[in-house]
Structures are given as C-alpha cells and as structure tokens.
Amino acid sequence: MPVTRPRAILFDCDGVLADSEALAAQVVADDLAGRGFPVTPELCQDVFLGRAVPDMVAVIEQRFGRVPDDWPAQIGRALTRRMAEEVVPVPGAMQALRRLAASGIPLACASNSSRAELSAKLARLGVAELFQGRVFSFEDVDRPKPYPDIYAAAAASCGAAPADCVVVEDSLPGIRAGIAAGCRVLALVWELPEALLRAQGAEPFRHMDELPGLLGVA
Ligand SMILES: [Mg+2]
C-alpha cells in the first residue's frame, strides 16, 4: 500500500486501541443470559461487533425477545464499570499511538461506544491526553457508524478534509463509516478475515507495530 503521511489520523477504539470486544461480548452475554435468552459471548461478538448499544436492541428483540426500555442505560453502566477496571490495550497499539502523537500529526478517536464507556477505556489505557479533546462517541453525532457522521466530525475537529485523513478500523460498520466519510481506511486484521476487510474497501494490516511505517512516520 502507498506510504502517504496523512493530515490527521482517526482511530476507532475497540479492537484497534482497546482489546475490549471479548470483554464487551461477555458483559452483554451475561446480561442476556440472565434474562433467559440462549446466548454465548461468541454469538454476541459475532452479532454486535462494532455496533452502538442502541442498534443492538432491535437485533436482540428480533432474535430473542423484549428487553426493558432502559436496557441501553443498564448495559451502558455495566460496560463502563467493567471497561474501567479490566480493559487492556491491543498489542502494539500504545507504542504506535505515542509515536504517531510525537510526529505532530493530529489524532482523534471516534467510537460507537457511549461517552462514559469511551472515556473509561481511554483513561484506563492512559492515552486520553494524546487526542487533545478530539474524542467522539455516537452520542456526539446524529447517527452512529456505519453512517459517516462520526468520522466527518473527527476530521473536522482536526481541521482536515476527510480525503486527507486516515481512519484506523477493525469492524465492518466502522470501515463503512470511514469509506462513506471519504477517508482512506486501514483495517487491523483482528476479529475478521483480511479478505472481508478488503472487500469493504479497507487496506488490511496485521499488527499495530506496522502502523507508523504505513503512515510515513519513521
Ligand atoms: Mg472496532
């Protein structure tokens, strides 16, 4: 892939910075199993990877049954508490992030998490300050990923046109959001196979160690 130094780098959080998807799937599976629904963490990870909590409700009700109206708030509190205490970084992500921040390229974080959950993860990883306030939750825009709103907002916060930004993603809704915003999308091969990421228009890479070099940062 071409080595072009971008005007800004827009990071997804889950599966790119935070190794959080398995923990999130466990929290959701525990909740739904407690309601008597036949779910496993593996099923939750397959069905919900990259989705915002409000977008999960329709899927749950279609496949399993009713959840209370305040389920998004309930699961949001559980996710925030567990992430604040337990989440760990994706291998190589913290080193890559610090090298990219030191290069002077503006960084932003754009996640389908709630504000509270996203803040908890970035605080636990110790990298919140590297984004200098350019942190976007689905709550900050009209529509979550796969719509382009969150990456459009993140690019604007960096003072960059989307076409000059690189998005770093791992999920299908996230890749679609980045492509729809008009960004170049690099996708970490993490939960999903490389061919599937490529078919969505992303450029796959295999380890976060590679990212600075791919973006022209030595
Ligand atoms: Mg992700």
Side-chain angles (χ1 to χ4, degrees):
M1 65 180 81
V3 176
T4 310
R5 195 180 162 103
R7 281 282 313 281
I9 308 168
L10 317 178
F11 285 90
D12 176 41
C13 180
D14 300 292
V16 168
L17 303 179
D19 182 0
S20 52
E21 300 285 12
L23 178 57
Q26 183 71 54
V27 172
V28 173
D30 287 349
D31 177 279
L32 296 180
R35 299 176 192 281
F37 300 141
V39 297
T40 60
E42 294 72 24
L43 177 69
C44 286
Q45 196 153 350
D46 285 349
V47 173
F48 299 127
L49 182 70
R51 284 189 197 280
V53 165
D55 285 348
M56 295 180 186
V57 174
V59 179
I60 291 167
E61 298 200 334
Q62 189 179 23
R63 292 180 68 133
F64 306 118
R66 285 277 299 157
V67 289
D69 289 344
D70 71 340
W71 187 83
Q74 287 185 36
I75 201 72
R77 284 192 294 273
L79 285 166
T80 298
R81 187 175 64 247
R82 294 286 296 273
M83 293 297 168
E85 293 170 357
E86 295 177 49
V87 80
V88 295
V90 167
M94 300 299 98
Q95 297 87 333
L97 198 58
R98 290 184 193 288
R99 274 175 67 191
L100 292 167
S103 77
I105 300 173
L107 310 181
C109 185
S111 167
N112 259 359
S113 302
S114 70
R115 270 191 210 120
E117 185 189 337
L118 181 55
S119 299
K121 285 181 281 205
L122 296 179
R124 168 146 167 106
L125 297 180
V127 295
E129 77 285 355
L130 300 181
F131 298 106
Q132 301 181 3
R134 296 182 293 260
V135 173
F136 296 86
S137 149
F138 79 83
E139 296 180 87
D140 295 314
V141 293
D142 287 340
R143 302 174 299 178
K145 305 173 191 178
Y147 293 99
D149 305 32
I150 199 161
Y151 281 120
S157 76
C158 296
D164 299 325
C165 295
V166 163
V167 161
V168 185
E169 265 290 350
D170 69 310
S171 76
L172 299 185
I175 293 169
R176 288 181 190 132
I179 297 286
C183 302
R184 180 183 175 200
V185 179
L186 303 191
L188 179 65
V189 181
W190 181 247
E191 304 289 353
L192 300 174
E194 182 171 335
L196 186 57
L197 303 175
R198 200 181 294 284
Q200 298 294 324
E203 299 165 55
F205 67 107
R206 301 204 73 89
H207 196 285
M208 287 298 281
D209 285 350
E210 302 168 31
L211 191 61
L214 293 173
L215 299 177
V217 174

